[in-house]
Every structure is written in structure tokens, then in C-alpha cells.
Amino acid sequence: MSSIVLFGPPGAGKGTQAQRIMESTGLPQVSTGDMLRAAVKAGTETGLSAKTYMDAGQLVPDHVIIALIEDRIQEDDASNGVMFDGFPRTIPQAEALAGITQVSHVIAIEVPDGKIVSRICGRYTCGNCSMVFHDEFNPTTEEGVCDGCGSNEFKRRADDNADTVLSRLSAYHEQTSPLAAWYEGRGIFHRIDGDRPIDEITTDILNVLE
Ligand code: AP5
């Protein structure tokens, strides 16, 4: 079993690329952000404790995240590995992951801070299939109709506002970016320029994974 990590700041395009490369890799997307939002919506104990951190743009404590991943990795569809989106985000999370599954590639999608706020503030997702769009940079082909499933229901995330994005970026630089050196030392870290058209980035990621 060998897994892939998609790494990068908020709004780098991790979710967008995960949805595009899922079919080629055959690995399911495991997004800790999506798992936490589902827990918040369901009103579980995990969701209630995570919500305060998410609303403030801070990282949810490691023990909560690691427990979620330990459970998720036991599911049948994870038996050949998974594609992690937004996990790990701290060195303790990476150390825990190393004890759970082998990671073959860490793909770092790099985008300058100055591009992040506009990406996040224009994001919307399909309420049915979760495909990610952007008001300006990546709109639906037909206005108001999801390219993935044809639904006309879309939603925006509670934490996608300019104030929270700045906190999320600080958390990224302080707690998550040190992971780059941690993985570089293991020879599995690949940098991709994420400030380009979406298709070009997908091609480069698939080339790295070949
Ligand atoms: P999470 O949901 O993981 O959010 P994030 O890391 O901040 O990343 P995003 O989902 O915002 O961005 P993305 O890189 O997926 O970009 P996307 O493809 O959508 O986490 C949310 C919160 O949960 C955290 O703040 C934290 O509280 C908690 N959390 C989650 N995991 C945790 C963990 N492991 N530990 C602790 N806490 C955790 O793209 C963004 C927009 O840009 C879209 O509109 C898209 O259409 C557009 N776009 C994509 N690519 C391009 C491009 N190349 N050019 C132009 N626009 C583009």
C-alpha cells in the first residue's frame, strides 16, 4: 500500500487537482477539511470541537486529526493507499502517518501568498458532487450548472472570507511549511508551480506520478 500527499497553502488547488487525478491514480481522495466539515454538519463531538478552530482559521489539534485518519485508513477503499489532501499539516501528523501507511510522493503545489485571497474568496463547490469552481478563474462551463453532475446547487464555505484566509495562511507558514524540509530529506518531495492554468498543473503532477 502506497499513498500520495497533496501539499500546499490554502487555495493552492489541492482539492481541484485531487479530483482530476483520482481516476488516473485509482486512489480515493482523503481530505481532512472535507471530513471535518462533514463532522461539523453532522454535529458530532469531533465536529463541535473542530468548528471553533476552523472558524478562526487555526489548525485543529493533532490528536483529533490523527484519530480521524486512523479510522479512515481502515476502510475498504483505502487498502491500496489514498491521496491525502490537506493532511499532514504538522510534523507530528507526518510522523503519525509514517506509522500508518507508506507515502510514495509528496506533491507540493506552490502559489504566492498574493494570489491566495482572491482564489479563496471566489471559490464555490457543487452541493451534490463537491466539484470545485471559481467565479473568475474556473467557472462552470454552462452558467449555474455543475460540469461534474449537472446539479444547480452550489455552496460556499464558512471559512472562505478574507480575514480567516489570512489566519489560515499564517498557520500554513508557521506550522505546515516546515514539513517541506522534513519530506525533502526523505527524497519524496516534488515542487509544482501552481500559479499556472489548471490543466498544465494536472499534466505535471501526472508526469511526476508516472
Ligand atoms: P481545508 O479544507 O483543507 O482547507 P485548505 O488547506 O485551507 O485548502 P483549501 O481547501 O482552502 O484549498 P485547496 O488547496 O484545496 O484549493 P482548491 O482546489 O479548492 O481545511 C480547512 C480547515 O480545516 C483548516 O483551516 C483547519 O482548521 C482544518 N484542517 C483541515 N485539515 C487539517 C489538518 N490536517 N490538521 C489540522 N487542521 C486541519 O482551489 C481554491 C480555488 O482556486 C477554487 O475556487 C479553484 O477553482 C481555484 N483554482 C484552483 N487551481 C487554480 C489555478 N491553477 N488557477 C486559478 N484558480 C485556481
Side-chain angles (χ1 to χ4, degrees), residues 72-123:
R72 178 65 182 87
I73 209 84
Q74 301 299 328
E75 291 178 27
D76 289 347
D77 67 341
S79 59
N80 291 322
V82 304
M83 183 164 40
F84 291 108
D85 161 7
F87 172 86
R89 264 164 142 108
T90 63
I91 288 177
Q93 290 181 22
E95 287 170 341
L97 179 60
I100 298 173
T101 181
Q102 191 191 339
V103 174
S104 61
H105 299 80
V106 177
I107 308 285
I109 306 176
E110 300 186 317
V111 176
D113 284 6
K115 298 280 177 86
I116 297 292
V117 174
S118 59
R119 279 208 190 181
I120 297 245
C121 292
R123 170 170 50 193

Side-chain angles (χ1 to χ4, degrees), residues 11 14-16 32 37 58 89 123 133 157 168 196:
K14 303 179 294 292
T16 300
T32 39
R37 281 183 287 279
Q58 296 167 355
R89 264 164 142 108
R123 170 170 50 193
F133 299 97
R157 276 169 44 179
R168 284 158 62 191
R196 291 178 301 149

Side-chain angles (χ1 to χ4, degrees), residues 3-18 21 29-32 59 82-95 97 103-113 116 119 168-185 188-195 201 205 208-209:
S3 295
I4 295 168
V5 169
L6 292 178
F7 181 86
K14 303 179 294 292
T16 300
Q17 296 298 334
I21 61 179
Q29 175 188 10
V30 171
S31 157
T32 39
L59 294 188
V82 304
M83 183 164 40
F84 291 108
D85 161 7
F87 172 86
R89 264 164 142 108
T90 63
I91 288 177
Q93 290 181 22
E95 287 170 341
L97 179 60
V103 174
S104 61
H105 299 80
V106 177
I107 308 285
I109 306 176
E110 300 186 317
V111 176
D113 284 6
I116 297 292
R119 279 208 190 181
R168 284 158 62 191
L169 259 179
S170 297
Y172 172 77
H173 288 300
E174 284 164 25
Q175 293 166 274
T176 306
S177 60
L179 264 180
W182 197 88
Y183 276 122
E184 262 170 339
I188 55 172
F189 193 78
H190 305 267
R191 295 178 189 276
I192 302 275
D193 177 1
D195 187 14
I201 298 166
I205 294 176
V208 166
L209 295 177

Side-chain angles (χ1 to χ4, degrees), residues 39 42-43 55 57 80-81 96 114-115 122 124 147 155 177-178 187 204:
D55 287 348
N80 291 322
K115 298 280 177 86
Y124 58 100
D147 291 15
K155 56 186 182 184
S177 60
D204 280 7

Side-chain angles (χ1 to χ4, degrees), residues 55-78:
D55 287 348
Q58 296 167 355
L59 294 188
V60 173
D62 287 336
H63 70 273
V64 175
I65 300 292
I66 292 166
L68 275 180
I69 290 293
E70 282 173 345
D71 283 351
R72 178 65 182 87
I73 209 84
Q74 301 299 328
E75 291 178 27
D76 289 347
D77 67 341

